[in-house]
Amino acid sequence: MPIWPWAAYTLFALNVTFAVVVIFLERRDPSATWAWLMVLFFIPFLGFFLYLVFGQNLSRSRLFDWDDKKKVGIEEQIDHQKQAIKGSVFPFANPHTQKNAKLVYMLLSHNDAVLSEDNSVDIYIDGNAKFEALIKDIRNAKDHIHLQYYIFRFDELGKKLIHALTEKAREGIEVCVLFDDLGSRKLRRRHFKELIEAGGVVEVFFPSPIPYVNLRLNYRNHRKIVVIDGQIGYVGGFNVGDEYLGKDPSFGYWRDTHLRVKGSAVHALQTRFILDWNQASKQHDFVYEERLFPAPVTKGDVALQVVTSGPDSEWEQIKSGYFKLITTAKKSIYIQTPYFIPDASILDALRIAALSGIDVKIMIPNKPDHMFVYWATYSYAGELMKAGAKIYIYDDGFIHAKTIVVDDKLSSVGTANIDVRSFRLNFEVNAFMYDYESGKALAKIFMDDMLVSYELTPELYQQRSLMIKFKESISRLLSPIL
C-alpha cells in the first residue's frame, strides 16, 4: 500500500489532537478558537508551529507583585477612594470628574487605578518636540531616571538618548533602562556598555533563551514610561527610533501622541515601572524608598487615572475603559489609532453610538506597517461607515497615536491600540483624563489632522478592487488572532 495515505491519515490525526489539546483545553474565546482551527486545518503542521509562536496562553498567575506597595499607601488609598465614591462622599475637586464617578470607580476597583486631581499635562504630537523635552528633563534630573520602551533602536536618536543617560549616571544619578526583547530585537546589552560602566542598569523584558531569536511574539511589554525624580512622567505612543522623528522615508512624517505629566499621577507611573522592572530584574529589584515617591512640587488641576492591562489580568481593563468612554458619549467620539480591529463589544458600542446620532469619527493610517492588520482595519472601518461613522485616512505620513476623546471632556492617551493584541495579549498603559482643557486640546488636534486627511466615503470604499476585498475577507477571518 502506498505510504501517502498513511501520511495523510497521520497528519489528520495530529491536527485533530493539536486542536483538542492546545485549543479547547485552554478555554479560549470562541472567535479565537475558530480562527486557530482554520489555521490548523488549512495549514497542517505549519499551523501548529504558528500556534506555538503566536497562540499560547500566558498563565494567569500573578507575574507582577511588589510587597512594598503597602508602604507607598496605595492599598489604603484604593480602599478609601472606593468607599468614598460608593458612598457618594468623595471630595471631587470639580463637578466634571464627579459626573464620571462610575468610570472612575470601575477603573479603581478593577485596576487599582488611583484617581489623582492635582496634575498638569503637556501634550506632544511631534517626535522632535517630545524627545527634546525628554532629554532636557533627563539632563536636569537630580535623583533618578527610570526609562522603559517597547522599541529602543541603536540609531541616531537611540545613541543620543543613551549618551544623555550615561552623562547623568556619571554624575551619580540612578539610571535604569528597561526594554522589550522582541520590540527591541536588534538592541544588545553591549550597546549600553558605557552606560553600564558609568553605573547605569539595563534589564530586558521576557528575553529569549535562544540568542537573537525570540519565538514568544505574544505577551510583549508595549508600555512606554519614563519617570524622572518621581516628579515628571512620560506616557504615550512614541518609541525610541529615528522613524519617530520622521526620518524613515517609507513612513514619512510620524504623527503620534505623548503626555508629559507632573503631579501625583507620576507615582502611579513609578509604581508601574517598578513592577515591570522587578519582573525583568534578576538582582536589582526595587524596594520602597521615600525618594521614589516624593510629594509633587508642581501641581495642576487635571484629574487623571493611570490604567494598565496585560495578559496576566483577568479583566481587560483598558478595553473596559474604552467601552465605558464610548457609552458615556452624548455628542462626539473621536478616535485615532493605527490598528482598528475592535472586538464585538467595542464594535457594537461604536455602531450604536453612530446610529444614535453621535458624531463618531475614526482616523486610521493611509499605509500599512502590518499587512493583515491593515486590511482588517479597513474592513471594520467600512462596516462602521454603514452605521454613519465617518472614517478619515491620515495622509501626511503615518499616524501612530492611540487617543480617544469623548464630548471634548473625557480622553485617553497611551499605548493601547483598538485591537485584540492590545486588549488581551500585550502589557499596555493609558492615562484616562477627566479634564475639559485637555479634551478640548486633543479634539482640536484631531480637527487639525483632518486637514491633512481624506474621508473614506461609501463611494470610495465601493471602488476597491476584488483583490483588496479578498485581502479584507481573509484578514477579517484572522482578526481574532491578529
Side-chain angles (χ1 to χ4, degrees):
M1 184 176 180
I3 194 171
W4 67 265
W6 290 103
Y9 294 146
T10 302
L11 179 62
F12 177 77
L14 285 174
N15 266 356
V16 170
T17 303
F18 291 157
V20 172
V21 174
V22 303
I23 293 182
F24 287 110
L25 293 185
E26 290 193 13
R27 301 179 183 273
R28 284 184 169 273
D29 175 80
S31 60
T33 297
W34 283 111
W36 277 116
L37 279 172
M38 184 178 70
V39 170
L40 284 171
F41 281 100
F42 279 92
I43 319 175
F45 281 129
L46 177 59
F48 180 63
F49 174 76
L50 292 174
Y51 175 83
L52 291 178
V53 175
F54 289 99
Q56 299 177 76
N57 272 341
L58 185 69
S59 171
R60 295 276 183 202
S61 61
R62 190 149 183 92
L63 292 177
F64 305 95
D65 195 13
W66 184 41
D67 292 336
D68 289 335
K69 283 192 296 183
K70 296 177 181 178
K71 298 177 184 176
V72 189
I74 291 176
E75 294 182 353
E76 292 81 358
Q77 258 188 306
I78 293 167
D79 290 340
H80 172 74
Q81 289 193 354
K82 283 169 61 177
Q83 292 174 15
I85 293 173
K86 201 168 185 178
S88 300
V89 294
F90 189 88
F92 288 102
N94 64 70
H96 174 52
T97 311
Q98 187 171 11
K99 289 178 182 177
N100 295 283
K102 296 294 185 183
L103 173 58
V104 174
Y105 183 84
M106 182 191 75
L107 297 176
L108 178 66
S109 59
H110 292 293
N111 191 236
D112 294 349
V114 174
L115 174 70
S116 57
E117 299 181 282
D118 62 349
N119 305 289
S120 63
V121 174
D122 297 317
I123 302 171
Y124 291 95
I125 61 173
D126 176 79
N128 291 280
K130 181 259 179 175
F131 283 103
E132 181 181 344
L134 175 59
I135 290 175
K136 181 179 179 181
D137 285 334
I138 287 172
R139 288 172 176 161
N140 290 329
K142 300 294 189 293
D143 185 80
H144 63 270
I145 302 163
H146 296 161
L147 185 144
Q148 169 182 357
Y149 281 98
Y150 171 63
I151 295 174
F152 197 125
R153 302 200 191 282
F154 192 65
D155 53 16
E156 184 178 349
L157 176 60
K159 291 175 183 177
K160 184 178 181 180
L161 190 54
I162 291 172
H163 178 71
L165 294 169
T166 302
E167 286 186 334
K168 298 307 293 186
R170 286 173 179 154
E171 294 176 14
I173 304 299
E174 176 184 275
V175 177
C176 298
V177 176
L178 174 65
F179 63 87
D180 184 85
D181 188 60
L182 183 68
S184 307
R185 52 188 169 275
K186 293 184 180 180
L187 194 64
R188 301 288 176 264
R189 288 183 183 273
R190 68 174 182 272
H191 294 145
F192 296 96
K193 182 175 182 291
E194 290 188 5
L195 172 60
I196 294 171
E197 289 176 348
V201 186
V202 178
E203 295 288 359
V204 185
F205 191 89
F206 276 12
S208 171
I210 306 172
Y212 305 106
V213 178
N214 196 322
L215 296 180
R216 182 153 47 178
L217 301 186
N218 287 341
Y219 319 129
R220 308 317 313 181
N221 198 317
H222 197 235
R223 296 167 181 147
K224 298 96 178 168
I225 296 173
V226 180
V227 178
I228 298 172
D229 295 341
Q231 297 285 353
I232 300 171
Y234 283 82
V235 62
F238 282 108
N239 287 292
V240 178
D242 287 348
E243 67 266 39
Y244 300 95
L245 304 181
K247 294 182 178 181
D248 186 336
S250 62
F251 288 107
Y253 180 70
W254 192 281
R255 232 307 268 124
D256 221 319
T257 305
H258 218 91
L259 303 179
R260 178 179 183 267
V261 181
K262 288 184 175 182
S264 297
V266 178
H267 292 179
L269 291 173
Q270 182 83 286
T271 299
R272 183 69 264 170
F273 175 85
I274 290 174
L275 288 167
D276 287 355
W277 177 272
N278 284 357
Q279 192 284 327
S281 173
K282 299 298 183 291
Q283 55 184 350
H284 301 105
D285 283 10
F286 279 101
V287 295
Y288 174 73
E289 296 181 69
E290 289 187 7
R291 67 179 180 85
L292 300 176
F293 299 90
V297 174
T298 303
K299 294 187 178 183
D301 57 3
V302 177
L304 190 156
Q305 285 176 286
V306 174
V307 181
T308 63
S309 65
D312 62 316
S313 303
E314 181 179 359
W315 308 102
E316 299 167 11
Q317 292 95 336
I318 292 178
K319 189 199 84 169
S320 297
Y322 282 176
F323 181 87
K324 188 69 173 176
L325 282 177
I326 292 166
T327 56
T328 299
K330 299 293 188 296
K331 297 179 181 179
S332 62
I333 302 168
Y334 302 152
I335 295 175
Q336 291 178 313
T337 179
Y339 317 124
F340 183 69
I341 309 179
D343 68 359
S345 64
I346 297 292
L347 187 65
D348 284 344
L350 287 169
R351 184 190 294 115
I352 291 169
L355 290 171
S356 301
I358 292 171
D359 182 20
V360 177
K361 290 184 169 72
I362 300 170
M363 189 175 293
I364 58 178
N366 72 341
K367 61 189 74 175
D369 65 338
H370 299 289
M371 191 60 69
F372 281 112
V373 174
Y374 180 76
W375 292 118
T377 291
Y378 214 68
S379 171
Y380 284 107
E383 181 174 337
L384 277 177
M385 192 165 43
K386 296 177 184 177
K390 293 186 176 181
I391 309 299
Y392 294 91
I393 311 298
Y394 185 79
D395 204 29
D396 191 35
F398 184 76
I399 189 162
H400 189 251
K402 304 97 164 45
T403 65
I404 297 182
V405 188
V406 170
D407 296 340
D408 296 357
K409 297 176 181 179
L410 299 173
S411 59
S412 177
V413 175
T415 69
N417 302 299
I418 297 182
D419 62 11
V420 174
R421 185 158 296 278
S422 280
F423 292 159
R424 301 177 188 168
L425 301 178
N426 284 343
F427 300 96
E428 308 280 2
V429 57
N430 274 49
F432 282 72
M433 294 183 287
Y434 311 85
D435 178 60
Y436 179 69
E437 293 301 321
S438 299
K440 188 166 65 172
L442 288 166
K444 183 181 184 305
I445 289 169
F446 189 100
M447 295 301 175
D448 290 343
D449 288 335
M450 284 175 55
L451 299 177
V452 290
S453 305
Y454 64 88
E455 184 177 352
L456 181 64
T457 62
E459 294 75 21
L460 277 176
Y461 188 66
Q462 289 302 320
Q463 291 174 14
R464 69 201 193 282
S465 67
L466 286 175
M467 179 55 69
I468 291 178
K469 291 179 182 179
F470 175 75
K471 290 178 180 178
E472 283 187 27
S473 298
I474 296 299
S475 299
R476 183 72 176 253
L477 283 172
L478 295 174
S479 62
I481 60 176
L482 291 178

